[in-house]
Amino acid sequence: MKTATTCKRCGAPIAQQQGRGRPRQYCSEGDCQQAAKRQRELRRTTPGLEGALARAEDLYERMEVGLANAIAPLAESLAAELDPAKVESRLAETTAAADSRVAAARAERDDAQARATELEQRLADAVKKAEIADAEREAALRQASEAAQQADTDRIARRTAQAEREAAQAAAEAAQQDARTALTQAQLAQETAEAATTERDQSAQRAVEADQRADAAQRDLAAMTVERDVARQAAATAEQHRIEALSQAAVAAANLEQATQRAQAAEQKLPEVIGERDRLLVELATATTRSGELQRETTQVRGELERQRRDADALRERAVTAEASMASLERSITELTEQLALSRRPAEADSTASDTASTVEQS
């Protein structure tokens, strides 16, 4: 926004730029400024009131220039420091940085908690696998014990069957011996019957008895044969049971070995899992500590922001006070200028009269 004033010497209009700078008082064309300067120098050397007024006016102008030069940087600095957009931008940047650090700390804390949870789950799975391996090992031990007991039972049954078979064979041999003895006695009886007719009936009776005994021996032999076959079948069954028990014992031993290996592997992995859990717990504690530190830093940053806001408010108040002082000073300067102008008019009139008189005398 431009305004217009008049030259203090010739009265020509002067375009003025709105701002805090000193307004132009003389036109740029001609030598108005140089002529006014020469006139002021002449007036300063004039004794009396006119010279004192000229010297006071010169001092006022120098004071005005010095104040303008001193106030202009202050005004620029205040404008730069108290610009609401810049202040809000810095506050927004500081707040965004603090929020990002808090978000990063929270993300680290959540990540550490998730890793700790995962590790606890893995540890629980490992413990569960170890418990399952222990249960399998105990089951395998029980199966092996049962298989061993079954093998012992089958061994005892086989020994019993072997003893029964041997007893049956001995009984069969005894029956065969009795049968042979009976046959021999029958032959002797028949020979004796030929020799002794009187003894025929007795011999016949004895022969019938021998036949009966032979038949009984034959039946006993058949029974013993059946018992022998049964004993052999029982021995074969016991042998089959023994083989099955040995196979079950071998399977149980293999299962026991596998369960033992799994348990050993789980026990070997257990310190590693525990170490990983401890490490993650340490990381969780570190992340928690870091989160607390970031929260404290955020509190400090917020306090700093609050202090900067208070400083900005104080600077605004100082700027308002400075502007009010500048306005008061400008009013004082304006009043002083008006007083100088009023006091200058009689001196200018006297100067004009003296110039006219000198011109008339010269003419």
Side-chain angles (χ1 to χ4, degrees):
M1 181 177 179
K2 295 183 178 180
T3 58
T5 59
T6 58
C7 179
K8 293 176 64 176
R9 181 170 180 80
C10 65
I14 301 173
Q16 299 287 344
Q17 182 71 31
Q18 184 68 26
R20 293 183 178 274
R22 184 180 180 185
R24 295 172 58 189
Q25 297 180 355
Y26 301 96
C27 60
S28 58
E29 297 178 358
D31 57 350
C32 294
Q33 186 173 4
Q34 296 295 329
K37 183 178 180 180
R38 287 193 300 269
Q39 186 176 1
R40 286 196 303 272
E41 290 177 354
L42 290 173
R43 289 180 60 202
R44 282 196 300 270
T45 59
T46 303
L49 179 60
E50 184 178 359
L53 288 175
R55 288 190 293 272
E57 183 180 357
D58 185 63
L59 178 61
Y60 164 73
E61 289 179 356
R62 287 199 300 270
M63 288 175 61
E64 186 179 4
V65 172
L67 286 174
N69 293 331
I71 291 173
L74 177 61
E76 293 177 358
S77 300
L78 289 174
E81 291 292 334
L82 301 178
D83 187 9
K86 292 183 179 179
V87 173
E88 295 297 331
S89 176
R90 284 187 294 177
L91 291 176
E93 290 177 357
T94 307
T95 305
D99 293 338
S100 63
R101 291 169 66 183
V102 171
R106 289 178 178 174
E108 291 178 359
R109 182 188 63 188
D110 296 338
D111 188 14
Q113 289 178 352
R115 292 176 63 186
T117 303
E118 181 182 358
L119 182 59
E120 289 178 356
Q121 184 64 33
R122 289 171 59 188
L123 180 61
D125 295 338
V127 171
K128 186 180 292 183
K129 289 181 180 179
E131 291 177 353
I132 293 173
D134 291 337
E136 291 179 353
R137 182 177 63 183
E138 291 178 358
L141 289 173
R142 288 195 299 271
Q143 291 179 0
S145 178
E146 293 175 356
Q149 293 177 359
Q150 185 66 30
D152 293 337
T153 304
D154 293 338
R155 191 180 298 109
I156 293 171
R158 185 181 60 189
R159 290 177 179 176
T160 304
Q162 183 68 25
E164 291 178 353
R165 182 179 62 185
E166 291 176 356
Q169 289 179 355
E173 291 177 357
Q176 290 177 358
Q177 184 64 33
D178 291 339
R180 286 194 295 270
T181 303
L183 289 174
T184 303
Q185 291 177 358
Q187 291 176 359
L188 291 174
Q190 287 178 0
E191 291 176 357
T192 304
E194 293 176 358
T197 303
T198 57
E199 294 180 356
R200 182 181 59 187
D201 293 336
Q202 295 178 358
S203 298
Q205 185 65 32
R206 290 168 63 184
V208 170
E209 292 176 358
D211 290 336
Q212 290 177 355
R213 289 176 63 186
D215 293 336
Q218 290 292 333
R219 286 193 300 270
D220 292 337
L221 179 60
M224 291 297 178
T225 303
V226 172
E227 289 179 358
R228 183 189 61 187
D229 294 336
V230 171
R232 288 178 179 176
Q233 185 66 29
T237 304
E239 185 68 18
Q240 185 67 28
H241 288 169
R242 186 181 68 82
I243 294 173
E244 292 178 356
L246 291 175
S247 177
Q248 291 178 359
V251 173
N255 293 332
L256 177 60
E257 183 67 22
Q258 293 178 0
T260 304
Q261 292 177 357
R262 288 195 297 269
Q264 291 177 354
E267 289 177 356
Q268 291 176 357
K269 291 182 178 179
L270 186 59
E272 180 180 358
V273 173
I274 292 173
E276 183 69 16
R277 183 196 64 181
D278 295 337
R279 186 179 64 80
L280 288 179
L281 289 176
V282 171
E283 291 181 358
L284 177 60
T286 304
T288 304
T289 305
R290 181 60 178 167
S291 177
E293 292 177 355
L294 289 177
Q295 289 179 357
R296 289 192 295 272
E297 290 179 0
T298 304
T299 304
Q300 293 177 359
V301 169
R302 290 177 179 173
E304 184 67 21
L305 290 175
E306 186 64 25
R307 187 181 63 78
Q308 290 181 0
R309 288 193 183 97
R310 290 195 299 269
D311 293 341
D313 294 337
L315 289 174
R316 289 192 185 96
E317 293 177 358
R318 291 174 60 186
V320 171
T321 305
E323 289 179 356
S325 299
M326 289 175 62
S328 177
L329 183 60
E330 288 178 355
R331 287 194 299 270
S332 300
I333 292 171
T334 303
E335 293 176 357
L336 184 59
T337 303
E338 292 176 355
Q339 292 178 1
L340 289 173
L342 291 175
S343 63
R344 188 187 304 166
R345 288 176 183 175
E348 289 179 353
D350 294 339
S351 176
T352 303
S354 63
D355 291 337
T356 304
S358 62
T359 302
V360 170
E361 288 177 358
Q362 291 176 0
S363 62

